[in-house]
Amino acid sequence: MRRTPVILVTGIDAAAMDVATVGLQFDLPSAAVMRHTLDVSNQVLTRRVSDLTGLVEAEQMDLDHACVGCALREDIVPTLERLAATGRWGAIIAHLPVSAEALQVCRVIAMDQRIAPHVRISAVVHALDGTQAHHDLLGDDLLVERGVHTSEEDTRGLAETHCALVEYADAIVAVGELTEPDADLVRALARPDADLVHDASALDPDALTGDLHQHGRTERWVDVVQRGRLPALESEHVWRLDLRTTRPLHPGRLLDGIESLGGGPRRSRGCFWLPTRPGTICAWDGAGGQLSIGPASPWGRSTPLTRIVVTGIDDERDALAEAFRDALLSDAETTDRGLYWEVAHDGLEPWLGLISRAA
């Protein structure tokens, strides 16, 4: 069975995504472009399919709950399969809704190939506005403030979303001038083998329709728990801190110092564990001074690890490292209470939920 290569285009800036999509279409003349836009206020999903001959189809759909999850379930993945199954096009360029994550499409298809047997995700291309890269990656705007949220309940930060899209991409296209410091920042966040180009035409069409996207490799790079070595970072503008230990964080001091640890113009992500919740992997996801923490999954038989990787450009690197050390369980606390505490509450219930059982 022939599987049609699909290139997913992501971004938080509609204009940059449009420029990248048009560039890809001209470099892949046999491709169809599937463009989805989401009107959250009116709960309408619009789909347009075109190729170099013109518009092929256009449709608007009412959604019960306008969000990316609904769009995925009701139209994006099914339409990819329908178009691929025709065998009419050599590739499909899928312009996702602004701020939508490619990982949602990739995971749905990878989870069960029977959902889209004629589809093969060959590349994920992220388009960004080079002139706004610094603010968009490290600023404190919300998606809703830019009008690019994916549902009425979407409270995500713009920087957190943008950083995650960069990290998941196989190639990044910077539309507009990208300064050297901002280029270093993008490279520091992106997977080490991801391409960064200033024009979509600089991307290799054969690579885009080949095996540029490898799902397992990408998932390992964005995994909450990272145990391997980080790639070298050589930049005079950007620094990286690998805050790593087998010790848990003290829940009280974590709360007291969370603004220092998770605030500021930085990107931070990883995992941590608590003596009050020793069986739970706690996810850490922050950018632009906004931080999300929550339960990820059980540790199971794996050894608990606290590891938060921070990327920044400010002068607070040493203070951040000190704040991390202060939040760790001390030798005295470990000796006195051990690594597993029996408590009913630890103050983190609003983010991590109730403590389900005593440690």
Side-chain angles (χ1 to χ4, degrees):
M1 179 186 300
R2 179 181 181 274
R3 297 170 65 195
T4 301
V6 171
I7 302 162
L8 301 177
V9 179
T10 66
I12 52 90
D13 184 88
M17 293 177 69
D18 288 344
V19 170
T21 300
V22 171
L24 292 171
Q25 186 172 26
F26 278 104
D27 284 340
L28 295 165
S30 67
V33 172
M34 184 185 79
R35 185 188 305 266
H36 280 84
T37 56
L38 192 61
D39 183 341
V40 174
S41 60
N42 293 312
Q43 295 190 334
V44 172
L45 178 70
T46 299
R47 181 218 316 134
R48 290 183 175 87
V49 178
S50 62
D51 58 20
L52 290 184
T53 68
L55 186 66
V56 176
E57 63 182 52
E59 186 174 350
Q60 286 189 333
M61 293 146 283
D62 292 327
L63 295 175
D64 292 334
H65 304 285
C67 65
V68 169
C70 299
L72 276 171
R73 181 179 65 252
E74 297 186 17
D75 200 76
I76 294 178
V77 172
T79 302
L80 282 175
E81 170 59 19
R82 176 171 59 81
L83 296 177
T86 67
R88 176 176 173 180
W89 295 282
I92 299 171
I93 302 165
H95 179 299
L96 297 182
V98 178
S99 82
E101 295 179 290
L103 67 82
Q104 298 184 61
V105 177
C106 294
R107 287 175 179 173
V108 166
I109 293 175
M111 182 173 56
D112 187 354
Q113 186 59 50
R114 293 173 298 180
I115 294 174
H118 294 88
V119 169
R120 176 175 61 84
I121 305 299
S122 60
V124 176
V125 176
H126 179 70
L128 58 83
D129 180 353
T131 66
Q132 295 293 319
H134 178 91
H135 181 74
D136 288 349
L137 290 168
L138 299 178
D140 60 1
D141 293 352
L142 299 177
L143 291 176
V144 67
E145 293 173 337
R146 293 280 193 92
V148 294
H149 52 307
T150 60
S151 72
E152 296 291 354
E153 294 76 33
D154 190 353
T155 60
R156 291 176 297 162
L158 183 83
E160 178 185 336
T161 304
H162 196 190
C163 288
L165 295 177
V166 168
E167 289 157 358
Y168 200 82
D170 302 302
I172 300 108
V173 178
V175 177
E177 183 179 358
L178 186 68
T179 66
E180 182 180 326
D182 289 345
D184 284 359
L185 176 61
V186 172
R187 291 190 183 96
L189 297 173
R191 206 177 63 239
D193 56 351
D195 291 325
L196 172 60
V197 300
H198 296 271
D199 190 321
S201 64
L203 296 173
D204 180 1
D206 290 336
L208 291 172
T209 56
D211 58 356
L212 194 61
H213 181 75
Q214 298 179 22
H215 185 70
R217 176 187 62 184
T218 304
E219 288 288 316
R220 287 190 294 273
W221 176 248
V222 301
D223 196 358
V224 169
V225 180
Q226 297 280 340
R227 297 185 185 273
R229 294 181 59 183
L230 293 175
L233 176 60
E234 298 178 0
S235 171
E236 61 184 51
H237 308 289
V238 182
W239 51 261
R240 180 191 287 138
L241 269 180
D242 186 2
L243 304 173
R244 179 174 183 172
T245 177
T246 55
R247 294 193 180 199
L249 299 180
H250 187 287
R253 290 199 297 276
L254 171 60
L255 277 173
D256 291 341
I258 203 162
E259 185 172 344
S260 297
L261 285 169
R266 298 180 284 270
R267 168 59 166 161
S268 58
R269 67 182 179 100
C271 65
F272 64 96
W273 67 291
L274 300 165
T276 52
R277 304 166 186 265
T280 301
I281 298 173
C282 300
W284 180 288
D285 190 1
Q290 301 183 48
L291 175 66
S292 299
I293 61 172
S297 60
W299 286 105
R301 296 184 178 181
S302 60
T303 302
L305 171 75
T306 294
R307 189 180 194 184
I308 301 170
V309 177
V310 187
T311 305
I313 60 172
D314 59 6
D315 57 0
E316 296 295 317
R317 179 176 180 173
D318 292 341
L320 183 64
E322 182 178 355
F324 179 74
R325 289 192 295 269
D326 289 344
L328 294 175
L329 232 58
S330 67
D331 290 338
E333 289 165 335
T334 301
T335 300
D336 183 44
R337 299 190 63 178
L339 296 177
Y340 310 100
W341 299 358
E342 285 195 23
V343 297
H345 309 282
D346 62 5
L348 291 162
E349 286 79 10
W351 302 276
L352 301 178
L354 298 176
I355 296 175
S356 59
R357 63 178 179 80

